[in-house]
Amino acid sequence: MARMTFAEAARRALAEEMRRDPLVWALGEDLVQGGIFGQYRGLAQEFGAERIVSTPISESTIMGAGLGAALCGTRPVVEMRIADFTLCAMDELVSQIAKVRYMFGGQGRAALVVRMPQGMWRNSAAQHSQCLEAWLTHIPGLVVAAPGTPADAAGLLKAAIRSDDPVVLLEPKNLWTAEGEVPDDVAPLPFGVARQAAQGDAATIVTWSACVPVVEQGVRESGIACDVFDLRSLWPWDEGAVVASARRTGRLLVVHEAVTVSGFGAEVLARVVEALGPAGLRAAERLGAPRAPVPFSPPLEDAMRISPARVADAVRRVAAR
Amino acid sequence: MARMTFAEAARRALAEEMRRDPLVWALGEDLVQGGIFGQYRGLAQEFGAERIVSTPISESTIMGAGLGAALCGTRPVVEMRIADFTLCAMDELVSQIAKVRYMFGGQGRAALVVRMPQGMWRNSAAQHSQCLEAWLTHIPGLVVAAPGTPADAAGLLKAAIRSDDPVVLLEPKNLWTAEGEVPDDVAPLPFGVARQAAQGDAATIVTWSACVPVVEQGVRESGIACDVFDLRSLWPWDEGAVVASARRTGRLLVVHEAVTVSGFGAEVLARVVEALGPAGLRAAERLGAPRAPVPFSPPLEDAMRISPARVADAVRRVAAR
Amino acid sequence: MAGASNETARRIAMLRDMARIRAFEREAVAAMRAGEAPGVVHPSIGQEGVAVGVCANLRRADRITSTHRGHGHAIAKGADAGAMMLELHGRAGGCCGGKGGSMHIADFTVGMLGANGVVGAGIPIACGAAQAIRLKQEEAIVACFFGDGAVNRGPFLEGMNWAALYRLPVLFVCEDNGFAAFTRNSAVTAGGGPAVRAEACGVPATVVDGEDVLAVDGAAADLVARIRAGGGPQFLHAKCYRWEGHTGTDAAAYRPAEEAAAARDRDCIGRLRAALEAAGVAATEIAAIEADAEAEMASHRAAAMAAAWPDLGAAFSDVQDSGAPAWPA
Amino acid sequence: MAGASNETARRIAMLRDMARIRAFEREAVAAMRAGEAPGVVHPSIGQEGVAVGVCANLRRADRITSTHRGHGHAIAKGADAGAMMLELHGRAGGCCGGKGGSMHIADFTVGMLGANGVVGAGIPIACGAAQAIRLKQEEAIVACFFGDGAVNRGPFLEGMNWAALYRLPVLFVCEDNGFAAFTRNSAVTAGGGPAVRAEACGVPATVVDGEDVLAVDGAAADLVARIRAGGGPQFLHAKCYRWEGHTGTDAAAYRPAEEAAAARDRDCIGRLRAALEAAGVAATEIAAIEADAEAEMASHRAAAMAAAWPDLGAAFSDVQDSGAPAWPA
Ligand SMILES: Cc1ncc(C[n+]2csc(CCOP(=O)(O)OP(=O)(O)O)c2C)c(N)n1
Ligand SMILES: Cc1ncc(C[n+]2csc(CCOP(=O)(O)OP(=O)(O)O)c2C)c(N)n1
Ligand SMILES: [Mg+2]
Ligand SMILES: [Mg+2]
């Protein structure tokens, strides 16, 4: 165990995978310079410019070349810089990468990772703050992972690289510098297994990504003992654990940074209601962002953010039902 | 009233709007040739090549130019050919068009329409069959309309053109040739007002777009009297009517062609559960596509489609709860 | 005369491939019109010389990426035409298990990495394939086919720059049939055309008469040799004409009938036939090749009509390993 | 000598604008480093000559589109620097109500259609703006600014072709400062560069020393005149250098210090200052202009720090009319 930042944990995990498998390589803008969050620092020196490839500002081709390279047997790590820029490569991700195995009847597979750091990061405004995880869970063919701790950043990145499915890894921009304990020998995490962060009978709280520490703190502040799940991966997601808990507590609260409307919280809520029947629950609610772009000004941005205090309020409300 | 196809109703509505307002114009591939579904037939002859503009295969610029043209006071109708190709223009739609008014503090508005015919159409396979309405409802700034009848195709297109908001119009590819009664003088439809297609106390059935006729028939086949709502617009959507009905019937079924996981059905279900509390309902379910791409082969494609028989089964199941 | 007869044999092989492509597509269009092959078929009839002239210079280990109009590329690269015909009919045994259809025809066993329903989408894929080939130190190149319409899409620019920058082993082949769907491409394209655009991004370009398979073959041989020698990407702009409409149901009313008729007079197959006859190959031998091609494809079509539909489970397989869909209730 | 003095007055105005941009950005970077201006600031210090030389030839009715590095374009087009400084501080009264910040600076009242956080995104927008101008028969043109990094994005190709095809009144201005974020752009760009690419798509191109505002002014005057005369789009490739890092916090360790120092010696402001002094303008007059600019921007910064935050309701306004978000519970 060692204490380190999210970025450092991710950096080490990638380095370890690149040492293990010479077919792993990474491509994206400014990678030789270390990436914009330092998550590639030093890797070009160790692995050379053929495996840590700085690219032009050509998002369609960064993504599409990742696919071509996967079809020819390498394991590319496709760096999108931030999730918003993936919007410049959506055809490549959704109509090509996600579908290639299926539409060619299993002849080829897109064994690659798309890293797309997402979410708010102090005052980046509307075009640099989006959370798009719900979109990706809607797309057949994609695995969607969303670490919320440094250890999981490492474990999920390793799992993503070794997976034969295309895996989208949503790293929370706001947590790159957050610290946590990371095992010396990080094992790849299985997809679809939540981490239970707290236990209690009052309610079942589900969250992921940047909201993980916020929810943990908010639940503590509420003083109410709840089951808290950090999903870690959104597709597949740990429906079994969440439904079992909700059956016991009878109360579900899903918290995420993304816009509430058509966010992944809707899917979690809907599945739990479908699984237990509405009568099996006393409360089922979501806490997310209003359906508005993210504003620049600090107090305005804060008004859109999930805070521990808002989580605590919601926990109290749900627990009281 | 006259009987006509969906495509013809839409064609007439656009022609009427273009006659009414010289600032309305359309751009997209093959428009001078009438568009691929005939929905622009004859318009180039009437309005000339400056207002019915055939463009290169440049989706990013078709979309982005629409925005620039709106910011300078015209009202462009942006034709995407099919929704799947919008994936080539997502940055322009999501990070530019949807956000421009907000991020510039109201200085400019994207008063434009994006037409994106969507969904399955006999054996078009994975890259030409996607339903992406849930994505769009998740994006602040966008209005999302989804007509399911020829009359609504006309009324919603007129409303979209006159709206000062950017409106995405999802025309169901499978219904272009479907016929229906269309008023001689089509009025623009207000957004957020559902059409109630049937009445009954057994359950509340919600649907839209290509599933409208399928659900109407399936409910008839079930022999069970239900409230059936064709939402017509998905953002805003007629939460009031649906919640009021579900309060009475206690049973909700949402049916759509899109993949169930993270589809807009999840949002409808979640809102109804949040509004009534889970205890206010005896059943809440969704019927959509499995999380798989759309296959080519007819029997495989049929296995993914919503059919009247599957709707009837679901209605019986929900009504029995 | 071993050289000459080798050369004649090579030309006869090219004629056979062109005849097979044409016969395949004639059957495919007929099947589509008869309602036997579902969905949409984009025939490349008249353009066979490009696919064949290029692929004659490729090895099995080489890869190709293709377009919505991809039957010819697939057959020229050695794909199994029977499995392709099954695929067009959506039947079990189709090269994509019936899940792809005409627009997603593929045969990875011969390096055919897939047709594509999105214009220009093969360009970035080809670039990445070439990067993988380099990383794995394989001896192979990539040929990337696309239409003239694709030169107006962003990925065209990105891919040209990318391939030139990393000096990738890619042969870009622009099949310029003059049309993008129902629009004459010159009506929506400015500047000096595909070759000029490629060169502006650092990819050397060659223009060739795509209706002359020997010219294509000669140009491709030269370019492929340069690429194999480590010379970086090359661009081949092949001018041709699409005899049929955009799809099997498009009557192509947007262009003069004489124009299409004139293209038929320039037939790539007819020209090679004439050249072979002039070189002393018997007309009967050529006729037999063409008859064989027609018989082969007619039998593939009959076999496809007789074949079983795929198992319904195929609709839910090969999506993904983690989080795969369950067979619905 | 009225002509000469008019010309001198014009040059003095250009000097003033350049000095104001530089002073604005010095304050902005300082405010960012002090933690007073939130988020990220991309300074264009050293590149002022391009914005000013181009905008000196624009009228109020003309439009511009801009980039993430847009302060200079905005000020040169006549935007209110005080409202801009408020915006950078996220305060009420900011030109975007505090909702946009530095990367989304805009002033529609002077035709500044907005900075953009997405590289290259202004290119299609400029094309559409020009189409609207034509449809409305307005007398105006559009100037579209972008960096050298943008020439590797797909929309660059699409937009060049589009503007040339429809002969739109657009002046494309490529501000080539040699870097795309932390990467030297020549290391990721193949071929003959921005001008060659534009010409390949049918847009005539001119290359100019962007560190010489008079050269930029002269070239822009010529190109703008051609555009106003209906000559279709034109491309101006202006070579310059970014004195600061990519953002206010980037130390630019990826380039030699001498290179940046050499660029400072070519200072566009210094060169115009020298030219004016040579033309007989008093050094004191020039010093006063620069001092005024500094005083103006210092006072804007002080005003911004004293200004109120926006009303919280602003977070929920101007999203859309139909389906607008409710103030959260
Ligand atoms: C991105 C995208 N836009 C539009 C289409 C619709 N479309 C299919 S084929 C085609 C024309 C393509 O022309 P070209 O590239 O010249 O190929 P050709 O059909 O002539 O072989 C169009 C517009 C598409 N498939 N993909
Ligand atoms: C589509 C997209 N990709 C990546 C980025 C991240 N990014 C912001 S500025 C920049 C460099 C842009 O270089 P250039 O166009 O030369 O403009 P400059 O910063 O030099 O003014 C990059 C890569 C972005 N904003 N948009
Ligand atoms: Mg073509
Ligand atoms: Mg630059």
Side-chain angles (χ1 to χ4, degrees), chain A residues 29 57 59 81 85 88, chain D residues 68-69 117-119 147-150 153 177 179-181 246:
Chain A
E29 298 152 11
I57 309 177
E59 278 75 11
R81 196 174 190 114
F85 303 149
C88 301
Chain D
H68 54 287
R69 205 177 298 288
V118 179
V119 169
D148 47 324
R153 277 207 65 222
N177 60 15
F179 289 88
H246 175 53

Side-chain angles (χ1 to χ4, degrees), chain B residues 29-30 33 35-36 54-59 81 85 88 122-128 290-300 303-304 310, chain C residues 38-39 87-88 90 98-101 103-104 116-119 149 152-153 180-183 188 254 309-312 314-316 319-320 323 325:
Chain B
E29 298 153 11
D30 290 319
Q33 313 296 337
I36 54 169
S54 270
T55 70
I57 309 177
S58 303
E59 278 75 12
R81 195 174 189 114
F85 303 150
C88 302
R122 268 279 162 220
N123 313 111
S124 300
Q127 291 180 330
H128 286 66
R291 195 172 175 283
V294 175
F296 167 72
S297 177
L300 302 188
M304 320 298 269
R310 291 180 61 204
Chain C
E87 186 62 33
L88 264 63
K99 289 152 87 159
M103 229 178 337
H104 306 299
N116 209 308
V118 179
V119 168
N152 291 326
R153 278 208 64 222
F182 314 135
T183 297
V188 290
Y254 42 80
W309 294 112
D311 194 278
L312 281 194
F316 307 94
V319 178
Q320 59 195 105

Side-chain angles (χ1 to χ4, degrees), chain C residues 193-210:
Chain C
V196 172
R197 291 188 187 183
E199 295 212 316
C201 293
V203 182
T206 302
V207 183
V208 76
D209 175 1

Side-chain angles (χ1 to χ4, degrees), chain A residues 72, chain C residues 58 61-65 77 111 113 129 133 138 140-143:
Chain A
C72 290
Chain C
L58 300 181
D62 294 331
R63 317 294 207 286
I64 66 169
T65 63
K77 189 67 175 65
L113 300 184
I133 285 171
E138 283 181 26
I141 73 165
V142 183

Side-chain angles (χ1 to χ4, degrees), chain A residues 30 33 36 54-59 81 85 88 122-128 290-300 303-304, chain D residues 38-39 87-88 90 98-101 103-104 116-118 149 152-153 180-183 188 254 309-312 315-316 319-320 325:
Chain A
D30 291 320
Q33 313 298 337
I36 54 170
S54 270
T55 70
I57 309 177
S58 302
E59 278 75 11
R81 196 174 190 114
F85 303 149
C88 301
R122 269 279 162 221
N123 313 111
S124 300
Q127 291 180 331
H128 285 66
R291 198 174 174 283
V294 176
F296 167 72
S297 176
L300 302 188
M304 319 299 268
Chain D
E87 186 61 32
L88 265 61
K99 289 153 85 159
M103 231 181 332
H104 306 299
N116 208 307
V118 179
N152 290 327
R153 277 207 65 222
F182 315 134
T183 297
V188 290
Y254 43 81
W309 294 110
D311 194 277
L312 281 194
F316 307 94
V319 178
Q320 59 196 101

